[in-house]
Amino acid sequence: YPSYVRALARLAFIDPAWIHWGMPLEDAVRRTRARHERLRMLRVYLGDTQKALAGRPGIRVDHGAVSLYEHRDPRKRLVPPPDYVETLSGLAGIDPALVDERFFIRRLLRESSFARRLALARQQLGLTPDELSAQRGIHASAAEIIVYEAEEPEAAREAPESYAADLAALLGLEPELLNRRFFLRRLLEIKEDHERLRAARRFLRYGKRDLAA
């Protein structure tokens, strides 16, 4: 079925995402909350069975692993390695940050500017300032959102903590990823220094081996 849709779309000179989901692939992926479902969507978009995908150049896992990455049962499902997600996303021509939040979180962690992190969060949702202001739970006008994201000091105004928290909730992420003040407060609540070190490592999404490297 996926290969048939792919062939039909090619004959009609349209993107197969329009046949599968009635919208561009990026929009369909954004509307899908679970990572295992997004992975399956990309494979279907490519017109591949699990076995066919495993045989593609750059995919370094067998079809059994592909099946476990997409498994509906969370008790049997495996977390895919980042290189698998990145390669699959590249084959589908989509940003891996839309498929796996680990890529988006790393992008946020590398960004030192609060305004820029807010802009990245809005872009991750695929919304304009007008569209974001209309979302339930967002208590800011489009004009305010533009000012919060402005990088020029004369045009900028720091967003209130409530806006960052609401935006993080819309993304399903911890608010400290957008506003570091939340994280600093959490650190202040921790009495033991080794627990603060552990909290900092987890905030950065590092394992012990990552830091050792």
Side-chain angles (χ1 to χ4, degrees):
Y1 173 70
S3 59
Y4 170 71
V5 171
R6 187 89 180 169
L8 191 62
R10 189 181 300 114
L11 289 172
F13 297 100
I14 62 172
D15 192 302
W18 285 97
I19 298 178
H20 281 298
W21 305 290
M23 64 186 73
L25 178 61
E26 284 193 1
D27 292 345
V29 168
R30 282 192 174 102
R31 294 188 181 194
T32 305
R33 299 296 293 180
R35 177 175 54 202
H36 72 283
E37 293 177 357
R38 294 185 195 127
L39 294 174
R40 181 183 179 279
M41 287 178 72
L42 297 196
R43 176 177 59 77
V44 167
Y45 174 78
L46 292 170
D48 285 349
T49 62
Q50 293 174 345
K51 187 173 182 179
L53 178 62
R56 278 184 177 256
I59 299 293
R60 300 184 179 88
V61 297
D62 59 25
H63 71 276
V66 173
S67 175
L68 291 173
Y69 299 154
E70 299 177 5
H71 209 291
R72 293 182 179 181
D73 188 343
R75 296 169 296 180
K76 298 179 180 179
R77 190 184 309 141
L78 291 181
V79 176
D83 64 327
Y84 172 79
V85 178
E86 193 163 20
T87 301
L88 180 57
S89 300
L91 290 171
I94 195 171
D95 184 351
L98 295 176
V99 181
D100 190 325
E101 69 173 16
R102 290 176 294 178
F103 289 89
F104 177 58
I105 288 171
R106 288 175 189 171
R107 200 171 289 170
L108 287 177
L109 290 171
R110 288 196 299 265
E111 183 54 66
S112 60
S113 165
F114 180 32
R116 182 60 185 152
R117 288 195 297 273
L118 294 177
L120 287 173
R122 177 179 57 75
Q123 291 161 10
Q124 178 75 0
L125 292 166
L127 300 175
T128 65
D130 280 316
E131 292 167 338
L132 179 57
S133 69
Q135 296 295 306
R136 180 178 296 179
I138 296 296
H139 307 290
S141 67
E144 288 173 323
I145 291 171
I146 291 170
V147 171
Y148 297 158
E149 296 179 5
E151 297 190 52
E152 300 80 8
E154 62 276 7
R157 188 170 88 241
E158 184 169 303
E161 293 182 2
S162 59
Y163 172 74
D166 292 340
L167 184 55
L170 203 56
L171 284 159
L173 298 176
E174 302 95 324
E176 48 259 43
L177 287 168
L178 296 183
N179 190 336
R180 304 289 161 80
R181 290 178 183 174
F182 290 105
F183 177 60
L184 292 175
R185 284 178 193 155
R186 184 149 61 90
L187 283 182
L188 290 172
E189 294 172 356
I190 302 174
K191 295 181 179 179
E192 300 295 331
D193 58 350
H194 68 280
E195 292 293 338
R196 288 194 294 272
L197 289 171
R198 181 182 300 174
R201 175 172 58 78
R202 288 177 176 173
F203 172 71
L204 293 169
R205 268 53 179 187
Y206 281 161
K208 293 180 180 179
R209 293 181 180 178
D210 297 322
L211 286 177

